[in-house]
Amino acid sequence: MDLQSAPLRVTIVGSGNVAWGLAPALTATPSIHIVRVISRDPAHASALAAAIGPGVEATTDLSEAAHDADIVILAVSDKAIAPIAASAPPSSTAALWIHTSGSVDAGVLSGASPRYGVLYPMQTFTRGVAVDLSDAPIFIEASDGSTLAIIRHLAESISSNVREADSDGRRRLHCAAVFACNFTNHMWDIADSIARGAGASVADYMPLIQETLRKAATIGPHDGQTGPARRGDKGVMEAHQALLPPLQREIYRLLSTSITSQYEQD
Amino acid sequence: MDLQSAPLRVTIVGSGNVAWGLAPALTATPSIHIVRVISRDPAHASALAAAIGPGVEATTDLSEAAHDADIVILAVSDKAIAPIAASAPPSSTAALWIHTSGSVDAGVLSGASPRYGVLYPMQTFTRGVAVDLSDAPIFIEASDGSTLAIIRHLAESISSNVREADSDGRRRLHCAAVFACNFTNHMWDIADSIARGAGASVADYMPLIQETLRKAATIGPHDGQTGPARRGDKGVMEAHQALLPPLQREIYRLLSTSITSQYEQD
């Protein structure tokens, strides 16, 4: 496998959101050829293979993963990574194996090949939606230096923001993403349910949310914090909690405590 | 006071973020003249008056609020509204008094004038930053129909999305804003602190956050929810909690419980 010679031949295992998100970016690079899509569901494998382009093989046969391929990318659920790697036939070891998870140690791939690594894109994917990955950070890790160079080449074909992170660092980065993305989205979901009790919905909050995000991106979320907890306005906080069902009240109380404690330390 | 005749003469009490946010939008409307800014701090009053335009009076004297004015807008902290209204001289009662708070009952202004109401903009303001209010919802309430018509005129000069909400509804809308904006921002602040432990920062999460927001705005936050709690991935959730200091661990646990409970109900 040489970055200077023929295109890298890639198998993608998986046909979910991450596979659909990464494939278009990889396909756009002349030095990378996706040759095969493997999925448990033949229709899903065929759909993604067809979307990537003509001549891409679609199969359900995992033993084909490394056949005539330089790289196997496991874009599958966290739980599926280790079993798939463990079931790789000995002939697979010529290929470089990669997974895309924020939470799984790189080493679980060592059974499939002595050359393995991680390409973790810090982005959320939706099947059927073309997500711009050009400035999304991609965190990479590899078993050795020459493998790292190849994974870096893959990652840089997708994004201009490629960084190294070991498995511990990647777990922290993923945990931060849960706060930045999953928990934030849940806040909007709760806001929606409360607003509907007053004839509005989260759609009415989009200008406010956009401005909050603009402020956080400009001056940082710590300096951008506003609201009753930031001001220590106990009367408003109590009035709000009185409106809420128990679980939302507990969330309001805990997050207000957390905000207050942040600024007491200032 | 007649919407068809001379411009409405407005006093703004306050020189904080809300006053700075509303003044430019009001000033842009020919039928509205801001004649006076009142602030405890004479320099702050002068700065805002000068920013609004030539001939705007700046004073610290609250007894001047309704002098030669049709409307007094209290753009002050929640706690200051009732004391200011209570101290209004009897001559003030010819003017229409308005506050801009999400949390304070309209009725606290009844001591200042029989004609009063609320103009609550659903937006966050930063001094010195021109915020586009044209599509931010403004929730209004008034003591009577003719007062409501005038407050609606003021609000529609600022935004195309003007709605009525009584004091209870406005409190709910404000509580939802705490989730949509204040708590969301705090999630980004926590994400920043965690990411810094792995050599990144919240700035690296902006593409992810933007995409999360795009998805929430498109399909709604309930359907857009992703992450370990949505998937019920206990192994990842436990690994993340093990990385966190106690208060953040408790937040992670509680929000994951809340997400899980949302989707059990589906």
Side-chain angles (χ1 to χ4, degrees):
Chain A
M1 195 167 2
D2 182 344
L3 289 178
Q4 311 306 319
S5 61
L8 296 166
R9 297 171 59 83
V10 175
T11 292
I12 292 186
V13 182
S15 57
N17 295 344
V18 176
W20 276 90
L22 289 178
L26 291 170
T27 305
T29 305
S31 61
I32 299 168
H33 279 193
I34 300 176
V35 296
R36 182 181 300 110
V37 174
I38 304 181
S39 173
R40 276 176 305 193
D41 184 315
H44 290 176
S46 296
L48 178 54
I52 292 169
V56 179
E57 182 190 343
T59 175
T60 61
D61 184 2
L62 267 172
S63 71
E64 286 291 297
H67 176 69
D68 199 19
D70 303 305
I71 300 173
V72 179
I73 299 179
L74 302 187
V76 297
S77 70
D78 287 1
K79 288 170 186 168
I81 294 171
I84 291 174
S87 71
S91 63
S92 298
T93 62
L96 188 167
W97 285 59
I98 299 173
H99 76 63
T100 60
S101 166
S103 298
V104 176
D105 282 357
V108 304
L109 299 176
S110 63
S113 169
R115 310 182 66 207
Y116 59 84
V118 178
L119 185 156
Y120 171 48
M122 182 65 76
Q123 186 50 283
T124 182
F125 297 102
T126 309
R127 213 175 304 195
V129 175
V131 174
D132 180 15
L133 285 166
S134 60
D135 61 351
I138 296 188
F139 296 93
I140 61 172
E141 177 180 9
S143 54
D144 58 90
S146 70
T147 300
L148 187 66
I150 292 167
I151 296 178
R152 182 180 292 283
H153 175 71
L154 285 178
E156 289 179 345
S157 75
I158 299 171
S159 168
S160 60
N161 186 359
V162 176
R163 325 258 283 269
E164 284 183 59
D166 63 14
S167 292
D168 177 69
R170 200 170 58 251
R171 192 171 289 113
R172 290 180 188 278
L173 293 165
H174 183 221
C175 180
V178 169
F179 281 89
C181 161
N182 305 148
F183 289 166
T184 288
N185 183 77
H186 187 53
M187 295 298 106
W188 297 331
D189 194 17
I190 293 175
D192 189 57
S193 71
I194 299 168
R196 286 181 188 278
S201 80
V202 74
D204 293 304
Y205 290 75
M206 285 298 152
L208 172 64
I209 293 169
Q210 288 283 6
E211 175 61 16
T212 305
L213 177 55
R214 188 204 61 74
K215 198 191 285 191
T218 309
I219 63 174
H222 188 83
D223 290 343
Q225 188 68 53
T226 58
R230 176 69 183 92
R231 293 192 302 273
D233 191 334
K234 288 179 185 168
V236 168
M237 290 190 275
E238 282 166 15
H240 285 170
Q241 288 174 59
L243 297 171
L244 298 171
L247 186 54
Q248 291 178 3
R249 187 184 310 150
E250 179 62 13
I251 292 170
Y252 192 107
R253 190 199 61 74
L254 184 63
L255 295 183
S256 296
T257 299
S258 180
I259 291 170
T260 303
S261 73
Q262 277 290 310
Y263 296 88
E264 282 171 354
Q265 292 162 10
D266 278 358
Chain B
M1 193 167 7
D2 181 345
L3 288 177
Q4 310 307 318
S5 62
L8 296 166
R9 297 172 60 85
V10 174
T11 292
I12 293 185
V13 181
S15 59
N17 295 344
V18 176
W20 276 89
L22 290 179
L26 291 171
T27 305
T29 305
S31 60
I32 299 168
H33 279 195
I34 300 176
V35 295
R36 183 182 297 110
V37 174
I38 304 180
S39 173
R40 277 176 304 194
D41 184 317
H44 290 175
S46 296
L48 178 54
I52 293 169
V56 178
E57 182 190 344
T59 176
T60 62
D61 184 2
L62 268 173
S63 71
E64 287 291 295
H67 177 68
D68 201 19
D70 302 306
I71 301 173
V72 178
I73 299 179
L74 302 187
V76 297
S77 70
D78 288 0
K79 287 170 187 169
I81 294 171
I84 291 174
S87 71
S91 63
S92 298
T93 61
L96 189 167
W97 285 61
I98 299 173
H99 76 63
T100 60
S101 165
S103 297
V104 176
D105 282 356
V108 304
L109 299 176
S110 63
S113 169
R115 308 182 67 206
Y116 59 84
V118 177
L119 185 156
Y120 171 49
M122 181 66 75
Q123 185 51 283
T124 181
F125 297 102
T126 309
R127 214 174 308 194
V129 175
V131 174
D132 179 15
L133 286 167
S134 60
D135 62 351
I138 297 187
F139 295 94
I140 61 173
E141 177 182 9
S143 53
D144 57 90
S146 71
T147 301
L148 187 66
I150 292 167
I151 296 178
R152 181 180 294 281
H153 176 71
L154 284 178
E156 288 179 345
S157 75
I158 299 171
S159 167
S160 60
N161 187 358
V162 176
R163 324 257 283 269
E164 284 183 59
D166 63 14
S167 292
D168 177 71
R170 200 169 59 249
R171 191 171 290 112
R172 290 180 189 278
L173 293 164
H174 183 221
C175 180
V178 169
F179 281 88
C181 161
N182 304 150
F183 289 166
T184 289
N185 183 76
H186 187 52
M187 295 298 105
W188 298 332
D189 194 19
I190 293 175
D192 189 57
S193 73
I194 299 168
R196 287 182 186 278
S201 79
V202 73
D204 292 306
Y205 289 75
M206 284 299 154
L208 173 63
I209 293 169
Q210 288 283 5
E211 176 60 16
T212 304
L213 178 55
R214 187 204 62 75
K215 199 191 284 191
T218 308
I219 63 173
H222 188 84
D223 290 343
Q225 187 68 52
T226 59
R230 176 70 183 91
R231 293 193 301 273
D233 191 334
K234 287 180 185 169
V236 168
M237 289 191 274
E238 281 167 15
H240 284 170
Q241 288 174 57
L243 297 170
L244 297 172
L247 185 54
Q248 291 177 3
R249 187 184 310 149
E250 179 62 13
I251 292 170
Y252 193 108
R253 189 199 61 73
L254 184 62
L255 296 183
S256 296
T257 299
S258 179
I259 291 170
T260 303
S261 72
Q262 277 290 311
Y263 296 89
E264 282 172 355
Q265 292 161 10
D266 279 359

